[in-house]
mmCIF file of all heavy atoms in Angstrom:
data_model
loop_
_atom_site.group_PDB
_atom_site.id
_atom_site.type_symbol
_atom_site.label_atom_id
_atom_site.label_comp_id
_atom_site.label_asym_id
_atom_site.label_seq_id
_atom_site.Cartn_x
_atom_site.Cartn_y
_atom_site.Cartn_z
ATOM 1 N N GLU O 1 -7.563 6.005 -10.145
ATOM 2 C CA GLU O 1 -7.916 6.744 -8.930
ATOM 3 C C GLU O 1 -9.412 6.815 -8.663
ATOM 4 O O GLU O 1 -9.824 6.994 -7.522
ATOM 5 C CB GLU O 1 -7.299 8.134 -8.952
ATOM 6 C CG GLU O 1 -7.706 8.976 -10.126
ATOM 7 C CD GLU O 1 -6.906 10.260 -10.236
ATOM 8 O OE1 GLU O 1 -5.817 10.350 -9.658
ATOM 9 O OE2 GLU O 1 -7.392 11.179 -10.908
ATOM 10 N N VAL O 2 -10.253 6.664 -9.677
ATOM 11 C CA VAL O 2 -11.704 6.735 -9.456
ATOM 12 C C VAL O 2 -12.297 5.366 -9.105
ATOM 13 O O VAL O 2 -13.480 5.277 -8.767
ATOM 14 C CB VAL O 2 -12.449 7.336 -10.673
ATOM 15 C CG1 VAL O 2 -12.011 8.779 -10.905
ATOM 16 C CG2 VAL O 2 -12.267 6.506 -11.912
ATOM 17 N N ASN O 3 -11.498 4.322 -9.156
ATOM 18 C CA ASN O 3 -11.974 2.980 -8.854
ATOM 19 C C ASN O 3 -11.725 2.679 -7.376
ATOM 20 O O ASN O 3 -10.590 2.459 -6.950
ATOM 21 C CB ASN O 3 -11.247 1.967 -9.751
ATOM 22 C CG ASN O 3 -11.794 0.568 -9.616
ATOM 23 O OD1 ASN O 3 -12.096 0.114 -8.523
ATOM 24 N ND2 ASN O 3 -11.901 -0.121 -10.734
ATOM 25 N N ALA O 4 -12.796 2.646 -6.612
ATOM 26 C CA ALA O 4 -12.678 2.458 -5.165
ATOM 27 C C ALA O 4 -12.081 1.095 -4.812
ATOM 28 O O ALA O 4 -11.347 0.977 -3.826
ATOM 29 C CB ALA O 4 -14.042 2.620 -4.501
ATOM 30 N N VAL O 5 -12.363 0.081 -5.605
ATOM 31 C CA VAL O 5 -11.843 -1.257 -5.301
ATOM 32 C C VAL O 5 -10.318 -1.276 -5.459
ATOM 33 O O VAL O 5 -9.606 -1.849 -4.630
ATOM 34 C CB VAL O 5 -12.517 -2.331 -6.179
ATOM 35 C CG1 VAL O 5 -11.880 -3.689 -5.965
ATOM 36 C CG2 VAL O 5 -14.007 -2.398 -5.883
ATOM 37 N N VAL O 6 -9.805 -0.635 -6.500
ATOM 38 C CA VAL O 6 -8.355 -0.556 -6.686
ATOM 39 C C VAL O 6 -7.730 0.195 -5.516
ATOM 40 O O VAL O 6 -6.678 -0.203 -4.998
ATOM 41 C CB VAL O 6 -8.001 0.111 -8.033
ATOM 42 C CG1 VAL O 6 -6.504 0.390 -8.129
ATOM 43 C CG2 VAL O 6 -8.461 -0.747 -9.196
ATOM 44 N N GLN O 7 -8.375 1.249 -5.067
ATOM 45 C CA GLN O 7 -7.852 2.028 -3.944
ATOM 46 C C GLN O 7 -7.873 1.211 -2.652
ATOM 47 O O GLN O 7 -6.916 1.230 -1.879
ATOM 48 C CB GLN O 7 -8.627 3.331 -3.784
ATOM 49 C CG GLN O 7 -8.651 4.199 -5.028
ATOM 50 C CD GLN O 7 -7.283 4.491 -5.585
ATOM 51 O OE1 GLN O 7 -6.390 4.930 -4.871
ATOM 52 N NE2 GLN O 7 -7.096 4.247 -6.873
ATOM 53 N N GLU O 8 -8.955 0.499 -2.441
ATOM 54 C CA GLU O 8 -9.079 -0.343 -1.247
ATOM 55 C C GLU O 8 -7.979 -1.398 -1.206
ATOM 56 O O GLU O 8 -7.273 -1.544 -0.207
ATOM 57 C CB GLU O 8 -10.452 -1.016 -1.245
ATOM 58 C CG GLU O 8 -10.622 -2.078 -0.181
ATOM 59 C CD GLU O 8 -11.858 -2.937 -0.385
ATOM 60 O OE1 GLU O 8 -12.738 -2.585 -1.185
ATOM 61 O OE2 GLU O 8 -11.915 -3.986 0.269
ATOM 62 N N TRP O 9 -7.841 -2.140 -2.292
ATOM 63 C CA TRP O 9 -6.862 -3.225 -2.342
ATOM 64 C C TRP O 9 -5.438 -2.678 -2.373
ATOM 65 O O TRP O 9 -4.521 -3.276 -1.808
ATOM 66 C CB TRP O 9 -7.136 -4.133 -3.530
ATOM 67 C CG TRP O 9 -8.324 -5.015 -3.272
ATOM 68 C CD1 TRP O 9 -9.637 -4.681 -3.488
ATOM 69 C CD2 TRP O 9 -8.328 -6.320 -2.719
ATOM 70 N NE1 TRP O 9 -10.449 -5.721 -3.100
ATOM 71 C CE2 TRP O 9 -9.676 -6.748 -2.633
ATOM 72 C CE3 TRP O 9 -7.326 -7.177 -2.303
ATOM 73 C CZ2 TRP O 9 -10.026 -7.991 -2.140
ATOM 74 C CZ3 TRP O 9 -7.694 -8.430 -1.809
ATOM 75 C CH2 TRP O 9 -9.019 -8.816 -1.727
ATOM 76 N N GLY O 10 -5.240 -1.541 -3.043
ATOM 77 C CA GLY O 10 -3.914 -0.922 -3.067
ATOM 78 C C GLY O 10 -3.472 -0.521 -1.673
ATOM 79 O O GLY O 10 -2.341 -0.796 -1.256
ATOM 80 N N CYS O 11 -4.369 0.122 -0.948
ATOM 81 C CA CYS O 11 -4.041 0.513 0.429
ATOM 82 C C CYS O 11 -3.807 -0.722 1.297
ATOM 83 O O CYS O 11 -2.911 -0.730 2.143
ATOM 84 C CB CYS O 11 -5.158 1.370 1.015
ATOM 85 S SG CYS O 11 -5.201 3.072 0.408
ATOM 86 N N GLY O 12 -4.600 -1.758 1.089
ATOM 87 C CA GLY O 12 -4.415 -2.992 1.850
ATOM 88 C C GLY O 12 -3.055 -3.620 1.592
ATOM 89 O O GLY O 12 -2.365 -4.061 2.523
ATOM 90 N N ALA O 13 -2.657 -3.660 0.325
ATOM 91 C CA ALA O 13 -1.352 -4.221 -0.027
ATOM 92 C C ALA O 13 -0.226 -3.376 0.562
ATOM 93 O O ALA O 13 0.752 -3.909 1.102
ATOM 94 C CB ALA O 13 -1.216 -4.318 -1.545
ATOM 95 N N LEU O 14 -0.372 -2.060 0.466
ATOM 96 C CA LEU O 14 0.645 -1.171 1.038
ATOM 97 C C LEU O 14 0.726 -1.327 2.557
ATOM 98 O O LEU O 14 1.806 -1.256 3.138
ATOM 99 C CB LEU O 14 0.367 0.281 0.663
ATOM 100 C CG LEU O 14 0.573 0.640 -0.804
ATOM 101 C CD1 LEU O 14 0.065 2.055 -1.076
ATOM 102 C CD2 LEU O 14 2.031 0.492 -1.218
ATOM 103 N N ALA O 15 -0.421 -1.545 3.194
ATOM 104 C CA ALA O 15 -0.426 -1.751 4.644
ATOM 105 C C ALA O 15 0.401 -2.976 5.007
ATOM 106 O O ALA O 15 1.190 -2.952 5.965
ATOM 107 C CB ALA O 15 -1.854 -1.895 5.164
ATOM 108 N N ASN O 16 0.245 -4.045 4.236
ATOM 109 C CA ASN O 16 1.030 -5.257 4.494
ATOM 110 C C ASN O 16 2.517 -4.998 4.263
ATOM 111 O O ASN O 16 3.351 -5.414 5.056
ATOM 112 C CB ASN O 16 0.553 -6.403 3.602
ATOM 113 C CG ASN O 16 -0.805 -6.907 4.007
ATOM 114 O OD1 ASN O 16 -1.197 -6.834 5.156
ATOM 115 N ND2 ASN O 16 -1.548 -7.434 3.050
ATOM 116 N N LEU O 17 2.841 -4.323 3.181
ATOM 117 C CA LEU O 17 4.244 -4.041 2.873
ATOM 118 C C LEU O 17 4.868 -3.098 3.899
ATOM 119 O O LEU O 17 6.063 -3.186 4.183
ATOM 120 C CB LEU O 17 4.364 -3.449 1.472
ATOM 121 C CG LEU O 17 4.070 -4.414 0.326
ATOM 122 C CD1 LEU O 17 4.018 -3.664 -0.996
ATOM 123 C CD2 LEU O 17 5.105 -5.527 0.277
ATOM 124 N N ALA O 18 4.065 -2.207 4.458
ATOM 125 C CA ALA O 18 4.581 -1.213 5.403
ATOM 126 C C ALA O 18 4.925 -1.809 6.761
ATOM 127 O O ALA O 18 5.404 -1.098 7.641
ATOM 128 C CB ALA O 18 3.576 -0.064 5.561
ATOM 129 N N ALA O 19 4.736 -3.090 6.915
ATOM 130 C CA ALA O 19 5.173 -3.743 8.149
ATOM 131 C C ALA O 19 6.695 -3.882 8.171
ATOM 132 O O ALA O 19 7.281 -4.144 9.218
ATOM 133 C CB ALA O 19 4.513 -5.111 8.282
ATOM 134 N N ASN O 20 7.332 -3.665 7.033
ATOM 135 C CA ASN O 20 8.786 -3.770 6.888
ATOM 136 C C ASN O 20 9.394 -2.370 6.820
ATOM 137 O O ASN O 20 8.920 -1.524 6.060
ATOM 138 C CB ASN O 20 9.081 -4.554 5.600
ATOM 139 C CG ASN O 20 10.536 -4.592 5.244
ATOM 140 O OD1 ASN O 20 11.070 -3.614 4.732
ATOM 141 N ND2 ASN O 20 11.172 -5.717 5.496
ATOM 142 N N ASP O 21 10.438 -2.122 7.580
ATOM 143 C CA ASP O 21 11.037 -0.786 7.655
ATOM 144 C C ASP O 21 11.565 -0.290 6.312
ATOM 145 O O ASP O 21 11.410 0.886 5.986
ATOM 146 C CB ASP O 21 12.160 -0.752 8.695
ATOM 147 C CG ASP O 21 11.639 -0.776 10.124
ATOM 148 O OD1 ASP O 21 10.460 -0.407 10.334
ATOM 149 O OD2 ASP O 21 12.405 -1.157 11.023
ATOM 150 N N ASP O 22 12.187 -1.161 5.533
ATOM 151 C CA ASP O 22 12.684 -0.737 4.218
ATOM 152 C C ASP O 22 11.537 -0.328 3.304
ATOM 153 O O ASP O 22 11.625 0.649 2.562
ATOM 154 C CB ASP O 22 13.502 -1.852 3.550
ATOM 155 C CG ASP O 22 14.835 -2.086 4.241
ATOM 156 O OD1 ASP O 22 15.350 -1.144 4.882
ATOM 157 O OD2 ASP O 22 15.360 -3.210 4.131
ATOM 158 N N ASN O 23 10.431 -1.081 3.369
ATOM 159 C CA ASN O 23 9.262 -0.747 2.552
ATOM 160 C C ASN O 23 8.636 0.573 2.983
ATOM 161 O O ASN O 23 8.140 1.326 2.145
ATOM 162 C CB ASN O 23 8.222 -1.865 2.600
ATOM 163 C CG ASN O 23 8.680 -3.111 1.881
ATOM 164 O OD1 ASN O 23 9.537 -3.057 1.000
ATOM 165 N ND2 ASN O 23 8.104 -4.237 2.255
ATOM 166 N N LYS O 24 8.654 0.855 4.268
ATOM 167 C CA LYS O 24 8.129 2.133 4.761
ATOM 168 C C LYS O 24 8.851 3.288 4.083
ATOM 169 O O LYS O 24 8.228 4.238 3.615
ATOM 170 C CB LYS O 24 8.312 2.263 6.276
ATOM 171 C CG LYS O 24 7.408 1.403 7.102
ATOM 172 C CD LYS O 24 7.718 1.598 8.576
ATOM 173 C CE LYS O 24 6.951 0.601 9.407
ATOM 174 N NZ LYS O 24 7.134 0.800 10.830
ATOM 175 N N LYS O 25 10.169 3.187 4.047
ATOM 176 C CA LYS O 25 10.969 4.237 3.421
ATOM 177 C C LYS O 25 10.662 4.348 1.934
ATOM 178 O O LYS O 25 10.535 5.453 1.397
ATOM 179 C CB LYS O 25 12.456 3.952 3.636
ATOM 180 C CG LYS O 25 12.885 4.045 5.079
ATOM 181 C CD LYS O 25 14.321 3.590 5.258
ATOM 182 C CE LYS O 25 14.640 3.463 6.743
ATOM 183 N NZ LYS O 25 15.938 2.820 6.947
ATOM 184 N N THR O 26 10.519 3.211 1.277
ATOM 185 C CA THR O 26 10.235 3.208 -0.160
ATOM 186 C C THR O 26 8.878 3.836 -0.442
ATOM 187 O O THR O 26 8.737 4.650 -1.360
ATOM 188 C CB THR O 26 10.281 1.771 -0.711
ATOM 189 O OG1 THR O 26 11.581 1.225 -0.473
ATOM 190 C CG2 THR O 26 9.987 1.738 -2.197
ATOM 191 N N ILE O 27 7.869 3.468 0.326
ATOM 192 C CA ILE O 27 6.524 4.026 0.140
ATOM 193 C C ILE O 27 6.564 5.540 0.301
ATOM 194 O O ILE O 27 6.007 6.283 -0.512
ATOM 195 C CB ILE O 27 5.524 3.376 1.129
ATOM 196 C CG1 ILE O 27 5.314 1.903 0.763
ATOM 197 C CG2 ILE O 27 4.191 4.132 1.129
ATOM 198 C CD1 ILE O 27 4.598 1.087 1.835
ATOM 199 N N ALA O 28 7.236 6.009 1.338
ATOM 200 C CA ALA O 28 7.321 7.456 1.581
ATOM 201 C C ALA O 28 8.091 8.160 0.468
ATOM 202 O O ALA O 28 7.651 9.199 -0.045
ATOM 203 C CB ALA O 28 7.967 7.724 2.933
#
């Protein structure tokens, strides 16, 4: 959580996955 690069890339990956409705539900 203190590593900004991991947070940046993690959010980026989640953004890509969240384009899918099933993934949206899983993330939530």
Side-chain angles (χ1 to χ4, degrees):
E1 58 189 20
V2 297
N3 187 319
V5 174
V6 171
Q7 304 307 309
E8 171 193 346
W9 285 85
C11 285
L14 290 172
N16 290 332
L17 290 172
N20 173 283
D21 286 338
D22 290 335
N23 290 337
K24 287 178 188 184
K25 294 173 190 171
T26 301
I27 292 167

